[in-house]
Amino acid sequence: MIREITTLFALAAATAACAPAENDFTTAALDYCAAQSRRSLDELPADYTVTPRNVAPDAAQWHARPVCKEEWTEGFWPGILWYDYEYTGDERFRTAAEGYTEALDFITRGPAYDHDTGFIIFCSYGNGYRLTGRDDYREAILRTADYMAELFNPAAGTILSWPREVPTFDGHNTIMDNMINLETLFWAAEQTGDRRYADIARSHADRTMLNNFREDGTSYHVAVYALPGGEFLRGCTHQGYADDSMWARGQAWGIYGFTMCYRFTGDERYRDFAARIADVYMERLPADMVPYWDFDDPRIPDAPHDASAAAVVASALLELSTYCEGDTSARFRDSAERMLRSLDAGYRSGERNPSFLLHSTGHHPAGSEIDYSIIYADYYFIEALMRLHRLEQGLPVVG
Ligand code: GLY
């Protein structure tokens, strides 16, 4: 806890010492995020149980939704507020971050609805614990790890991502997004010393590496396993263009997830795999470094973009750059910075609405959130900027 709080003050002091210079991209972008977040706080309902989700292309305000177990995005807004607090030290952000975080307590009390509990709780309580060291936040994350562990199927070797979709896929399903939620399990193993959490996370990562990827390093959104035997049956899509296409955010979750696995395990297979699938992703990016929603949509270049995928990958590459050496490290860091500068220059919401970024795509096949501002794009954008800011201050990339 002392380490976390010391780090917060070190970052605040470093921020103050380096007052935003005109040409300082990172601090200018973080100042922009803080200003947009203040605007959101002014405009949102005075109710911590209602959180911002998206802004339609023709709208000027957040569409906010009541928190409920069926949502997967309600941890991102408190996570953004924690990052705003970390950067600015403004108590208004801390008060709001606490309020929105604690409104999610009921989700930590299960039963686990699906793997997304990890997203919801680690972005909110995880950042809150990192910055405050509060015991009740730690307990909330540990409860969540237990619920996620309950979804583990030893026969398949992975977590069941979507329990309610077993009939749809006619089997145990494991989606690429689930890689992000291994962080809760690895973290719980470190906190408690109980290797069971880490064993589940490693098994899940290994099976995902094997079955959610094709030979060429592109990913399937969904891997389906037989019940009850656990044999791998097939790879397919849910949110991508086609079963054999590369859905941009799916590949992004993979790059981020395997990088994070290396952070906790030091297993070079995870780092090297993250680097390989990052290269596969980057080789096919358009000039502005922000992908179309699916790399194989035949309408490209007229297909919608997905700024959220770019933000996720930028954040991941900044971390990955610190685990690599020489030219590889420099290339990942440079690519991440170019992605962030491109998002900042060409995708800012600015006056149009109070989010940070325009042009994300949620669930294209369902016709949902196409070319919207979406809260998770903003979360990974500010996270990536904070990581860059930390690196510029000579601090570890992950606080
Ligand atoms: N986790 C769902 C998505 O990336 O849209």
Side-chain angles (χ1 to χ4, degrees), residues 72 115-116 119 162 175 177 221 239 247 249 253 362 376:
W72 73 280
H115 76 109
D116 285 330
F119 273 110
W162 288 327
I175 66 170
D177 330 23
H221 186 193
Q239 281 168 252
W247 175 47
R249 199 164 55 257
W253 293 139
Y376 44 84

Side-chain angles (χ1 to χ4, degrees), residues 152-159 174 179 182 185-186 195-212 225 258 261 265 269-270:
F152 183 67
N153 174 345
T158 64
I159 291 164
T174 295
M179 284 298 301
L182 305 184
L185 293 169
F186 281 126
R195 294 300 312 165
R196 189 178 53 102
Y197 298 113
D199 290 346
I200 290 172
R202 286 190 76 129
S203 170
H204 183 104
D206 289 349
R207 296 285 281 175
T208 300
M209 190 189 290
L210 188 66
N211 294 324
N212 282 72
Y225 297 85
F258 284 102
C261 287
T265 64
R269 287 180 313 125
Y270 296 141

Side-chain angles (χ1 to χ4, degrees), residues 84 192 252 258 280:
D84 280 322
T192 63
F258 284 102
V280 167

Side-chain angles (χ1 to χ4, degrees), residues 110-322:
Y113 183 69
D114 68 23
H115 76 109
D116 285 330
T117 314
F119 273 110
I120 296 167
I121 300 306
F122 213 75
C123 296
S124 55
Y125 281 95
N127 279 306
Y129 180 73
R130 184 173 62 80
L131 297 176
T132 68
R134 281 177 55 168
D135 282 342
D136 55 337
Y137 285 16
R138 179 178 180 277
E139 293 306 315
I141 305 166
L142 293 177
R143 281 196 295 278
T144 303
D146 282 333
Y147 289 122
M148 286 188 50
E150 278 176 27
L151 295 173
F152 183 67
N153 174 345
T158 64
I159 291 164
L160 175 60
S161 302
W162 288 327
R164 67 196 171 283
E165 302 291 359
V166 167
T168 313
F169 292 103
D170 195 18
H172 170 96
N173 57 76
T174 295
I175 66 170
M176 184 57 66
D177 330 23
N178 203 146
M179 284 298 301
I180 306 299
N181 297 322
L182 305 184
E183 189 166 5
T184 302
L185 293 169
F186 281 126
W187 184 91
E190 277 193 354
Q191 288 286 318
T192 63
D194 185 344
R195 294 300 312 165
R196 189 178 53 102
Y197 298 113
D199 290 346
I200 290 172
R202 286 190 76 129
S203 170
H204 183 104
D206 289 349
R207 296 285 281 175
T208 300
M209 190 189 290
L210 188 66
N211 294 324
N212 282 72
F213 286 87
R214 309 177 187 95
E215 282 293 307
D216 64 3
T218 63
S219 52
Y220 294 110
H221 186 193
V222 187
V224 182
Y225 297 85
L227 288 171
E231 300 86 4
F232 172 66
L233 295 178
R234 65 184 184 280
C236 57
T237 199
H238 184 67
Q239 281 168 252
Y241 174 76
D243 287 345
D244 60 357
S245 69
M246 179 161 67
W247 175 47
R249 199 164 55 257
Q251 193 79 5
W253 293 139
I255 297 164
Y256 191 111
F258 284 102
T259 301
M260 176 271 297
C261 287
Y262 177 76
R263 183 201 318 155
F264 283 98
T265 64
D267 184 337
E268 292 178 3
R269 287 180 313 125
Y270 296 141
R271 180 197 60 195
D272 296 348
F273 192 69
R276 175 163 173 250
I277 62 177
D279 279 334
V280 167
Y281 170 97
M282 288 195 287
E283 274 162 20
R284 295 178 61 191
L285 282 177
D288 75 353
M289 309 285 283
V290 178
Y292 297 97
W293 75 282
D294 189 300
F295 284 82
D296 296 295
D297 183 335
R299 293 175 303 160
I300 290 172
D302 297 322
H305 285 263
D306 184 12
S308 75
V312 170
V313 172
S315 188
L317 289 182
L318 286 171
E319 181 175 7
L320 186 57
S321 74
T322 68

Side-chain angles (χ1 to χ4, degrees), residues 4-81:
E4 277 104 9
I5 292 171
T6 305
T7 302
L8 176 61
F9 287 129
L11 193 55
T15 302
C18 305
E22 226 172 296
N23 61 353
D24 188 330
F25 162 72
T26 315
T27 52
L30 283 165
D31 288 344
Y32 162 74
C33 293
Q36 293 292 89
S37 296
R38 289 192 178 96
R39 191 175 147 200
S40 292
L41 286 174
D42 289 342
E43 293 180 13
L44 285 166
D47 180 351
Y48 293 138
T49 69
V50 179
T51 59
R53 164 73 189 232
N54 62 46
V55 187
D58 55 355
Q61 290 186 322
W62 284 110
H63 166 63
R65 296 184 187 169
V67 298
C68 63
K69 70 178 183 357
E70 290 83 6
E71 275 283 355
W72 73 280
T73 61
E74 56 246 68
F76 294 119
W77 174 234
I80 288 167
L81 293 168

